[in-house]
Amino acid sequence: METSRHHGFGGWQIFGKHDSTEIGLPMKFSVYLPPAAVKGPVPWLIYLAGLTCTEETFMIKAGAQRAAAELGLALVTPDTSPRGTDFPGQADNWDFGVGAGFYVDATQEPWSKNWRMYSYVTKELPALIAANYPVDVQRLGLFGHSMGGHGALTLGLKNPDLFKSVSAFAPISNPINCPWGEKAFTGYLGSDRKAWAAHDASELMKQRAHPNAILVDQGEADQFLGTQLHPHALEAAAKISGQKLTLRRHEGYDHGYYFISTFVEDHLRHHAKILG
Ligand SMILES: N[C@@H](CCC(=O)N[C@@H](CSC=O)C(=O)NCC(=O)O)C(=O)O
């Protein structure tokens, strides 16, 4: 199952692969185990990456391992979609299909058989990691970036007993009202827009609040801010439900991993404080 293992900051950076029953195909994942994991189960975070990313992107680019080692947090990242199908046009667009699973269970053909990223992230992946690595199932948090920020907010709001802490970098906050979301939800969930609201962070947050405060960071120079991300919708929704939300706007930062690496330690500390 492990494909490679590298010593880092006193812990271990691990890459692996398994046959996923939810997805029906092999799925890759990565795990960072902090030094504290040799003594017993540690709190842990699942990170959901954005469009075009893989299970490697965050581990290579975010520079999160030093702080994770210091805080005693394990980090886990799945891939962003199934790979290995041969659906027509599946990789023609960088914002739909391969690398763009949107963390939903697709209901539309041909995607519905394999594009089951919601069930994969909420059920199979946590069970797989807990069965194989020293993580405390009661102390799991969820965070992500862009498409993965949408995933972190929606999966976290729907599963507060599983994901005790939630945060996001530049999330797609209102996908039912942006081109990325409209394209993905039409393809995966069908053209009935009423079915989409259950997968929209702002719509969900109007109806319910996660018991713990949510941290969101957003760059003001993000090239997707005006068209795709709509953080104002999340702020408005938080006011309706009473969700404790810290949404920080940072002048000069764009959408990329230099932005994420700048603030990733703040996110790890946010989760560590809640998870204990
Ligand atoms: N078309 C470009 C840009 C794709 C891109 O910006 N992807 C972001 C996530 S966007 C929302 O989910 C990303 O995280 N890219 C990885 C990176 O290393 O920056 C392309 O194909 O790269």
Side-chain angles (χ1 to χ4, degrees), residues 43-223:
W44 55 306
L45 310 181
I46 293 178
Y47 175 87
L48 304 178
L51 295 163
T52 72
C53 294
T54 72
E55 77 291 347
E56 283 187 317
T57 312
F58 177 81
M59 297 301 190
I60 293 170
K61 291 189 165 185
Q65 289 90 341
R66 183 187 297 275
E70 185 197 316
L71 295 166
L73 284 173
L75 305 172
V76 172
T77 62
D79 204 346
T80 52
S81 79
R83 293 178 201 264
T85 50
D86 57 0
F87 303 150
Q90 64 179 25
D92 288 357
N93 298 286
W94 63 271
D95 54 2
F96 183 76
V98 175
F102 267 83
Y103 306 103
V104 297
D105 286 348
T107 59
Q108 305 300 300
E109 296 292 333
W111 311 101
S112 52
K113 181 160 176 248
N114 310 99
W115 259 247
R116 297 182 49 75
M117 292 300 287
Y118 178 89
S119 292
Y120 181 70
V121 172
T122 58
K123 291 186 244 174
E124 189 172 8
L125 180 69
L128 173 85
I129 300 301
N132 288 283
Y133 297 103
V135 292
D136 180 348
V137 288
Q138 295 303 322
R139 292 191 290 165
L140 171 60
L142 185 66
F143 68 146
H145 169 230
S146 195
M147 174 183 75
H150 139 76
L153 293 169
T154 54
L155 275 52
L157 283 166
K158 287 181 174 192
N159 300 279
D161 293 338
L162 176 64
F163 300 117
K164 305 281 186 338
S165 54
V166 175
S167 74
F169 299 95
I172 304 171
S173 294
N174 192 199
I176 64 173
N177 287 316
C178 79
W180 280 342
E182 288 171 342
K183 181 173 181 175
F185 287 5
T186 302
Y188 297 142
L189 304 173
S191 52
D192 178 6
R193 297 178 76 102
K194 287 198 290 298
W196 298 1
H199 309 279
D200 181 287
S202 297
E203 290 299 315
L204 284 169
M205 199 180 276
K206 283 182 196 168
Q207 309 292 335
R208 61 183 95 182
H210 192 281
N212 288 314
I214 293 176
L215 172 64
V216 173
D217 277 315
Q218 176 62 59
E220 291 280 32
D222 187 321
Q223 58 273 41

